[in-house]
Amino acid sequence: MSPFRRGTSFRPGLIYLSTVLSALVLFVFPALPQESDRSNGCWSDSACASNDSPDRPDRKLQLDLRGLVSAWGAFSRADSSLAQLGTRFLPEFTLELNLKRRTAAPPGQQASQYSSAMLTAPHLPFSNNRPAASISISENGIFLATGLISPHSFLPAVFLTDQPLSPASMLSHLISDSDPSCLDNSSGSSGATSVTPTAPFASSNEAPLTYYPLESSPSSEPSSSSSPDVLTVEFSLNLWGTLTIQPGTENQFSGRLKPYRLSVKYASPRFEARLGLQKISFGSASLLRPLMWFDRLDPRDTLQLTDGVYGLLVRTYISTRTNLWAWALYGNDDPKGWEALPTRRRRPEFGSRAQIPAGRGELALTVHHRRVNFDLTNPAAALIPLNAGAPPAFNFPETRLAVDGKWDIGPGIWFEATLTRQRSPHLAFPWQRAFTIGLDYTFALGHGLHLLGEYFQSDLASGALSGMTCAPFRARFLTASASYPLSFIDQLAAIFFYDTRNRDLYSFVRWQRNYDRWSIHLMAFWNPAEFRIFAAPDQPNLFAGRGLQLLLIYTF
């Protein structure tokens, strides 16, 4: 008998395809010219020659290819030992079509096209009670920094150099204890702030920097130099394969190839609509999120990957801090987010969200409706308490209401609360409640120590405010995280979950090092043998018990 047993979703050629594609990305793609005008969207010599015209149409068509290749090895020991080797290839193709003619924009708005963050990025630490800011760097020395004030009061920005610099040289000249007080708003540039060429930015080899704030949504007064209407097609694949080794059982090899994103987006300064397979995520919490309705983002996951949903998402921006969302989902047969039961087949789901300013922060109200399918042949359904005489299969409507908010009052504070009603006489506990409250702060210790804490609880109840709840579904967690930038390329982080009902502690510690395209991540964990959080239903749980994981990532 072969020592390898194929997983249920494995196709024999996937591992060879993943290896070949990874080799092409690692060795062929870096050798291609990266500075050519054609790589930036020019499809003819005449088009490239006209790029310097101050009053020209935008590039009509731009094709972009990026993505990542990762490989990992993990070992854990709980009731028995478990080891896994794996690889992932995730390419993303983007085709962008500009639909309107415009005059040349000020430099700050031209830079906004670079605001799409890389899948992995180094961190730029700031002192004066400001946390490390995620940054991504483009080929021509332009990079994006987010979270300069607080993770819950974002201030996106770009820094432009007067001459092209490589990401490596850019990082080599920035000093880790950067002080935001060096930002001087007296330059008088349109929306720009000059960075004083003194410490920590002063360097004999570094070009001057200019800081341009980028609003998270359009301003209340659109100008003729605002971005044109853009039609974007996005397509990405998720190809992965794993070899799992467990004593006393056959070695298991599994793999899968599936669409990761497939969508068409139309965007204008005040409106955005996206149709297809996409990620829909919102809310204020960080670690355990009651509003994790359509994604399964795991705070331990370095890549922050999650399956998308099929549907239409529409957003309109009334002002800088006020926006409305509406969505309709269809064809999502598997449970999403916190869902235990799937949506009934060939039935649409729909919902909406409104975000409004509230003092120094913002509030949001969200609603979602779907029809749920209950079938006792589903193992998850068998755990749900029913009233006497309930049939083995039925369906019922479900409505969710949520409110969340976040404020920056020195420390960042936030909350999320959800209430779900499942209207069926067969359910013994037709109400679901979940709540999270949290805060964070960055202490001026060394390069900046960022601490975050949250409290999470959820219940199945007989009424909206009833104290009668279902004990097996009662959850109470205290969570905390800490991160500290050791240097510009090294970061140390830890996450802890404490189950107050079962008195179980889940601990994760991670060290990461980031280069221009490579990053290395080493994680150690110490958890209960029975893992109750973020469990993957179709894979063995690598984080049960005690163990280590090494992850290598290459982005292109």
Side-chain angles (χ1 to χ4, degrees), residues 190-440:
S190 175
T193 301
S194 296
V195 175
T196 306
T198 57
F201 293 98
S203 174
S204 58
N205 299 321
E206 185 182 357
L209 298 176
T210 304
Y211 165 86
Y212 293 94
L214 297 177
E215 294 180 338
S216 59
S217 55
S219 63
S220 57
E221 296 295 336
S223 65
S224 60
S225 61
S226 60
S227 298
D229 294 359
V230 177
L231 187 67
T232 305
V233 179
E234 178 184 342
F235 172 61
S236 57
L237 292 170
N238 189 0
L239 169 63
W240 58 266
T242 60
L243 170 63
T244 304
I245 304 170
Q246 193 168 11
T249 63
E250 293 181 332
N251 297 335
Q252 181 177 358
F253 190 91
S254 63
R256 192 171 182 184
L257 172 64
K258 64 177 182 179
Y260 184 67
R261 300 288 184 264
L262 178 59
S263 64
V264 178
K265 182 181 75 170
Y266 170 80
S268 67
R270 286 184 174 272
F271 177 81
E272 176 182 303
R274 185 190 293 267
L275 176 66
L277 178 60
Q278 58 186 294
K279 171 186 169 183
I280 300 179
S281 181
F282 43 75
S284 305
S286 297
L287 300 179
L288 292 176
R289 305 160 39 226
L291 274 167
M292 191 176 68
W293 287 356
F294 310 125
D295 67 85
R296 288 185 171 174
L297 290 171
D298 186 339
R300 305 163 305 169
D301 182 12
T302 302
L303 299 177
Q304 289 295 280
L305 300 180
T306 181
D307 289 338
V309 292
Y310 290 95
L312 171 66
L313 171 66
V314 175
R315 288 186 285 196
T316 181
Y317 303 96
I318 299 174
S319 68
T320 304
R321 299 172 60 195
T322 304
N323 55 78
L324 303 176
W325 305 38
W327 58 83
L329 309 181
Y330 186 81
N332 303 286
D333 299 331
D334 297 326
K336 311 174 293 296
W338 294 107
E339 295 173 0
L341 301 175
T343 300
R344 188 179 181 185
R345 293 177 62 88
R346 293 186 292 275
R347 286 296 184 96
E349 311 173 48
F350 50 89
S352 61
R353 174 177 173 87
Q355 296 181 193
I356 59 174
R360 299 184 62 180
E362 63 181 37
L363 276 172
L365 180 65
T366 312
V367 61
H368 182 73
H369 180 82
R370 68 174 185 138
R371 194 159 192 91
V372 181
N373 184 59
F374 183 96
D375 190 337
L376 281 177
T377 60
N378 180 355
L383 302 175
I384 297 177
L386 300 176
N387 291 322
F394 56 95
N395 60 82
F396 54 87
E398 175 188 272
T399 302
R400 309 174 194 170
L401 293 175
V403 60
D404 66 284
K406 56 185 178 182
W407 293 267
D408 185 3
I409 57 173
I413 61 172
W414 60 91
F415 79 95
E416 288 184 9
T418 64
L419 181 63
T420 302
R421 183 185 181 187
Q422 298 177 326
R423 295 194 298 273
S424 172
H426 306 305
L427 299 176
F429 299 93
W431 293 84
Q432 300 175 8
R433 304 181 301 223
F435 176 76
T436 286
I437 187 171
L439 64 90
D440 73 335

Side-chain angles (χ1 to χ4, degrees), residues 64 139 156 310 332 389 412 451 469 506:
D64 185 29
E139 298 285 344
Y310 290 95
N332 303 286
L451 298 181
T469 60
Y506 302 78

Side-chain angles (χ1 to χ4, degrees), residues 120-137:
T120 58
H123 286 76
L124 178 63
F126 284 97
S127 60
N128 292 355
N129 296 334
R130 284 154 170 91
S134 299
I135 64 172
S136 60
I137 307 172

Side-chain angles (χ1 to χ4, degrees), residues 34-242:
Q34 300 295 317
E35 301 298 333
S36 168
D37 283 333
R38 288 175 176 82
S39 68
N40 291 326
C42 297
W43 296 92
S44 68
D45 292 336
S46 60
C48 294
S50 65
N51 279 347
D52 295 332
S53 174
D55 189 8
R56 60 171 177 82
D58 283 340
R59 295 165 178 162
K60 291 299 183 182
L61 193 63
Q62 181 172 337
L63 178 64
D64 185 29
L65 168 63
R66 56 183 171 180
L68 65 87
V69 179
S70 66
W72 66 90
F75 174 80
S76 64
R77 184 175 182 83
D79 297 332
S80 62
S81 299
L82 180 69
Q84 186 181 91
L85 298 174
T87 182
R88 183 186 304 275
F89 178 60
L90 200 157
E92 176 185 307
F93 304 89
T94 303
L95 184 65
E96 185 176 284
L97 177 65
N98 290 336
L99 302 178
K100 285 187 178 179
R101 183 185 184 95
R102 67 167 182 175
T103 57
Q109 291 174 333
Q110 290 176 355
S112 66
Q113 64 181 303
Y114 297 99
S115 62
S116 180
M118 296 160 55
L119 291 173
T120 58
H123 286 76
L124 178 63
F126 284 97
S127 60
N128 292 355
N129 296 334
R130 284 154 170 91
S134 299
I135 64 172
S136 60
I137 307 172
S138 67
E139 298 285 344
N140 59 358
I142 300 176
F143 68 93
L144 169 75
T146 61
L148 300 184
I149 293 180
S150 164
H152 295 276
S153 180
F154 293 107
L155 178 62
V158 293
F159 289 78
L160 303 183
T161 62
D162 289 349
Q163 64 188 45
L165 292 174
S166 70
S169 62
M170 175 72 75
L171 287 176
S172 66
H173 297 310
L174 294 176
I175 301 176
S176 58
D177 58 352
S178 305
D179 188 345
S181 63
C182 68
L183 298 180
D184 176 18
N185 198 24
S186 60
S187 63
S189 302
S190 175
T193 301
S194 296
V195 175
T196 306
T198 57
F201 293 98
S203 174
S204 58
N205 299 321
E206 185 182 357
L209 298 176
T210 304
Y211 165 86
Y212 293 94
L214 297 177
E215 294 180 338
S216 59
S217 55
S219 63
S220 57
E221 296 295 336
S223 65
S224 60
S225 61
S226 60
S227 298
D229 294 359
V230 177
L231 187 67
T232 305
V233 179
E234 178 184 342
F235 172 61
S236 57
L237 292 170
N238 189 0
L239 169 63
W240 58 266
T242 60

